[in-house]
Amino acid sequence: MRAEQLAGVLATGAGGLESFGGFVSLKDKRHGSAPPKRILIVDDNKDARESLATLFREHGYLALTAHDGYSAIERATEFRPHAVLLDIVMPGISGFRVAEMLRKQTAFANALLITVTGLGQDVDGWLSKNAGCDYHFEKPLEFDTLEALLETRL
């Protein structure tokens, strides 16, 4: 699916369901009649990315996942997320490089890029900012903290 087709793909179904390419999210009352915000979760740890995607879907977001940097670029280009949550250390290319590549595309100039990583070094926050990320968090991260940030920024 091409990015320009996204507008035609996102449609409201019966019972308040929102869908994108087979991914379904229950619409949350906080979002009202507005389409849900799109979140891309990128992590090579399947349990981590799927757990986070499930939480976002349960809270009314349209969540899509990617397992490495290359698939993140491809999915982001098709999905056009409002926010991208990036693990840093992944197979292929790092989350830092994904952020740099996304920021070079005008379509992602206003997207919220967030690194969520198990790395605890002071330099990681600086590297995230230098790569174009808006925020840097260390794992484990409370979902409520992340959701509160997204609610205020999206």
Side-chain angles (χ1 to χ4, degrees), residues 33-114:
S33 62
K37 298 297 182 183
R38 296 179 305 277
I39 309 292
L40 177 62
I41 302 156
V42 186
D43 198 319
D44 58 329
N45 181 313
K46 182 178 180 178
D47 291 338
R49 74 175 176 267
E50 294 302 330
S51 297
L52 199 51
T54 297
L55 284 170
F56 275 113
R57 289 178 188 129
E58 289 174 353
H59 285 83
Y61 293 85
L62 195 58
L64 190 65
T65 63
H67 66 280
D68 64 22
Y70 292 115
S71 63
I73 298 295
E74 180 180 326
R75 290 199 167 193
T77 301
E78 294 173 354
F79 187 56
R80 300 289 173 115
H82 296 101
V84 180
L85 307 178
L86 290 162
D87 187 21
I88 292 175
V89 179
M90 297 182 290
I93 57 176
S94 73
F96 295 136
R97 184 71 180 122
V98 172
E100 290 170 348
M101 293 170 74
L102 291 177
R103 282 291 185 226
K104 288 180 181 178
Q105 299 181 41
T106 57
F108 298 101
N110 295 320
L112 193 61
L113 302 183
I114 304 168

Side-chain angles (χ1 to χ4, degrees), residues 96 99-100 103 113 115 123-136:
F96 295 136
E100 290 170 348
R103 282 291 185 226
L113 302 183
T115 51
V123 71
D124 295 327
W126 181 85
L127 290 170
S128 291
K129 185 169 182 63
N130 193 50
C133 293
D134 300 291
Y135 296 93
H136 172 80

Side-chain angles (χ1 to χ4, degrees), residues 120-153:
Q121 301 175 354
D122 292 336
V123 71
D124 295 327
W126 181 85
L127 290 170
S128 291
K129 185 169 182 63
N130 193 50
C133 293
D134 300 291
Y135 296 93
H136 172 80
F137 293 104
E138 291 181 21
K139 294 176 185 176
L141 175 65
E142 293 292 325
F143 178 78
D144 292 342
T145 302
L146 190 53
E147 184 183 30
L149 171 67
L150 295 175
E151 287 293 320
T152 60
R153 290 291 314 268

